[in-house]
Amino acid sequence: MNSPLLDALLDAPELPELIEQAQRAFAREQKLRQKFYADITPEHKWEFIQGEVIMHSPALNRHLTASQRTYDLLSAYAREHQLGLVRHEKAMTSFPRNDYEPDVIFFGPAKAAIIDPDTLKFPIPDLIVEVLSPSTLKRDRGIKFKDYALHGVAEYWIIEPVAETVEVHRLAGNIYPAVPAQSDGVLSSDVVPGFEIPVRAIFDEVENMTALRTILSAV
């Protein structure tokens, strides 16, 4: 992995001292992460990001509605075609440094096969959907955008429930190239073969039900 940050570190004459400081800081962070695992409860939505424990506040109805509609469509399609596993809201996915609870996640057959009824820390998903809110926007477009790409999340869908738009980011190497936000037309997935839905099916109840019926009647 080419990294300007790593190149700068390797060029620094104080490299040994910087490595020692980084190791101490990372060790402290990992102790906090183990405490996080011991302290979290199922009543709330928790994430561990860059050494910080984040408990999410209740979501607005528009956020919950967009998330639920997306889950309903993706889950129905994946189940009907036996393509993998879809989870919603409180499935904690463990990345090398951070733990996230995305709004909707999809695992293809290989990763779905290693998930059992007692799984608490899920593997890195193949597709992640995040619904933006004022309290999460900075992380969803910041650390999560970077972390998801660096660790192989093949697709990252960002839903803006106020503007009623969706961005479908597809992995290219270890980054997500910029894409336009869609307010209409059709959304399609490369990760979930054949999955196509109208953009409006995420924001409109009638469109959602029509798309759901189409999925269920196609098999």
Side-chain angles (χ1 to χ4, degrees):
M1 180 190 302
N2 294 325
S3 168
L5 184 61
L6 178 59
D7 291 341
L9 182 62
L10 292 175
D11 285 340
E14 67 272 33
L15 175 64
E17 292 86 352
L18 292 173
I19 290 176
E20 184 178 345
Q21 291 174 26
Q23 288 175 331
R24 287 200 301 268
F26 188 64
R28 288 194 298 270
E29 185 176 294
Q30 290 307 295
K31 287 183 180 179
L32 291 173
R33 196 177 191 185
Q34 294 306 312
K35 185 176 186 302
F36 164 76
Y37 293 146
D39 291 347
I40 55 176
T41 61
E43 290 81 16
H44 301 99
K45 183 174 180 177
W46 303 83
E47 294 185 313
F48 185 87
I49 303 177
Q50 311 290 82
E52 181 182 1
V53 177
I54 297 167
M55 187 179 76
H56 290 269
S57 58
L60 294 173
N61 186 52
R62 68 166 62 95
H63 181 290
L64 297 173
T65 301
S67 176
Q68 184 66 54
R69 286 174 178 160
T70 305
Y71 168 79
D72 289 344
L73 295 168
L74 184 57
S75 180
Y77 186 87
R79 292 170 67 188
E80 285 291 327
H81 295 272
Q82 299 182 356
L83 294 175
L85 185 67
V86 183
R87 289 292 177 260
H88 187 222
E89 288 291 344
K90 296 191 69 177
M92 188 171 69
T93 61
S94 288
F95 284 64
R97 185 178 180 186
N98 301 311
D99 296 286
Y100 305 110
E101 290 191 354
D103 292 305
V104 181
I105 52 179
F106 167 80
F107 303 96
K111 291 180 180 177
I114 64 173
I115 296 171
D116 62 38
D118 293 321
T119 296
L120 176 63
K121 292 185 285 185
F122 288 77
I124 294 173
D126 297 303
L127 182 153
I128 290 178
V129 179
E130 296 281 15
V131 182
L132 299 182
S133 66
S135 63
T136 67
L137 186 150
K138 184 177 179 180
R139 289 188 294 271
D140 290 342
R141 292 197 178 278
I143 182 60
K144 290 185 177 183
F145 195 89
K146 183 176 181 179
D147 208 2
Y148 293 170
L150 284 174
H151 294 102
V153 178
E155 282 184 8
Y156 179 25
W157 292 29
I158 297 179
I159 297 174
E160 218 303 344
V162 176
E164 297 191 346
T165 61
V166 184
E167 300 165 23
V168 177
H169 295 273
R170 294 180 171 89
L171 194 62
N174 59 5
I175 63 168
Y176 296 124
V179 296
Q182 293 181 240
S183 59
D184 55 19
V186 174
L187 300 169
S188 64
S189 172
D190 294 340
V191 174
V192 188
F195 182 65
E196 292 186 349
I197 58 170
V199 173
R200 296 303 306 161
I202 294 175
F203 306 109
D204 181 88
E205 180 67 14
V206 174
E207 292 272 8
N208 184 264
M209 292 303 298
T210 300
L212 190 57
R213 289 190 198 99
T214 299
I215 290 171
L216 296 175
S217 65
V219 178

